[in-house]
Amino acid sequence: MSVKTLKIDGIDVAAEEGTSVLKAAEEAGVKIPKLCHLDGVSDVGACRLCLVEIKGINRLLPACVTEVAEGMEVCTQTPQLQEYRRMTVELLFAEGNHVCAICVANGNCELQDVAIEVGMDHSRFPYRFPDREVDISHSKFGIDHNRCIMCTRCVRVCAEIEGAHVWDVGYRGAAAKIISGLNQPWGDVDACTSCGKCVDACPTGSIFKKGTTTAEMQRDSEKLEFLADARGKHQWTR
């Protein structure tokens, strides 16, 4: 496979053809904010936090689904990008019901981390306060749609790593939400293997283990990358 040379924030970078700008940047030590990206599953460019500027292209592109190219010049931290990222995080908080003080993921939440990273301390947009349900019909887990940011990590990890296809996106626009089965209560979906991979994949406290209280949620997202890699290389242990 050929190697492409490019510049990211003025840093000379060499990456294999087919590598995403996001991965190339991380390998070069350049940090780009992200929420929907998860090592071990495919990228979909859902959160738009990893938008970057590329010289010669008059629109912003998501780094996670944009492949490197020879001679590419990428900027990741311009004032315009920083403003867009802060606005995106503000909209995520305004669109849902994120009450951090009573969330199981408080202190261990990627949405909180990104808010700090982009310098968000309040939202300039009116809060929608949507009426969303909590599904605790599963014997081990629950899903609180108030905390969901529609990153679709749970959908992809269940389909691509576990192969159960329990989760999907239902409805459209502001009514869109993550659904289990054919919009059944999670506990009624026979396809669910109760593996908990969706819990580890969720960046917020939306999908949680029952019995977990405020700030107690712990995840092992590296396990998902290991499983995906092991499956591809047929490296299974008994």
Side-chain angles (χ1 to χ4, degrees):
M1 186 174 291
S2 64
V3 174
K4 304 296 183 181
T5 58
L6 62 153
K7 285 183 179 292
I8 301 178
D9 290 344
I11 301 172
D12 291 320
V13 177
E16 288 186 354
E17 183 180 10
T19 301
S20 70
V21 171
L22 179 63
K23 184 176 181 181
E26 290 180 341
E27 291 177 350
V30 178
K31 187 176 182 181
I32 301 176
K34 58 189 182 296
L35 278 173
C36 67
H37 170 81
L38 182 66
D39 290 336
V41 296
S42 62
D43 285 306
V44 294
C47 70
R48 316 310 283 184
L49 277 172
C50 70
L51 290 175
V52 295
E53 294 181 7
I54 298 177
K55 187 176 180 179
I57 299 178
N58 62 357
R59 67 184 187 279
L60 304 179
L61 296 177
C64 65
V65 292
T66 301
E67 294 184 1
V68 297
E70 184 64 34
M72 180 183 278
E73 295 185 25
V74 182
C75 292
T76 71
Q77 297 296 335
T78 66
Q80 180 188 31
L81 289 171
Q82 292 171 348
E83 172 62 22
Y84 282 176
R85 287 170 183 156
R86 185 165 57 251
M87 178 169 44
T88 297
V89 177
E90 289 177 24
L91 287 167
L92 286 174
F93 273 93
E95 184 271 342
N97 296 316
H98 299 281
V99 186
C100 300
I102 57 170
C103 181
V104 294
N106 188 24
N108 188 26
C109 172
E110 292 180 43
L111 181 60
Q112 280 182 337
D113 293 341
V114 166
I116 295 170
E117 185 177 352
V118 302
M120 178 215 155
D121 56 9
H122 70 284
S123 178
R124 294 165 289 180
F125 305 97
Y127 287 86
R128 293 185 60 242
F129 300 112
D131 183 14
R132 294 176 177 171
E133 72 274 18
V134 178
D135 181 359
I136 54 172
S137 60
H138 194 283
S139 59
K140 295 182 178 180
F141 313 117
I143 178 169
D144 185 345
H145 292 280
N146 294 286
R147 303 166 180 165
C148 180
I149 58 172
M150 296 296 292
C151 67
T152 71
R153 281 189 186 183
C154 57
V155 176
R156 287 173 283 148
V157 94
C158 188
E160 298 172 19
I161 296 182
E162 183 62 16
H165 299 272
V166 171
W167 302 105
D168 209 335
V169 179
Y171 306 98
R172 295 183 179 182
K177 69 173 187 176
I178 298 297
I179 61 172
S180 50
L182 297 174
N183 204 14
Q184 304 164 268
W186 188 0
D188 294 342
V189 181
D190 294 333
C192 181
T193 62
S194 301
C195 68
K197 292 183 178 67
C198 54
V199 180
D200 284 330
C202 183
T204 67
S206 181
I207 305 179
F208 56 91
K209 294 179 181 177
K210 281 187 173 181
T212 307
T213 188
T214 303
E216 284 189 350
M217 176 177 249
Q218 297 291 327
R219 303 185 190 84
D220 185 10
S221 58
E222 291 182 1
K223 175 178 68 178
L224 306 175
E225 182 183 7
F226 165 76
L227 290 171
D229 185 61
R231 172 171 289 181
K233 295 179 180 177
H234 303 288
Q235 296 175 337
W236 299 111
T237 57
R238 296 184 181 274

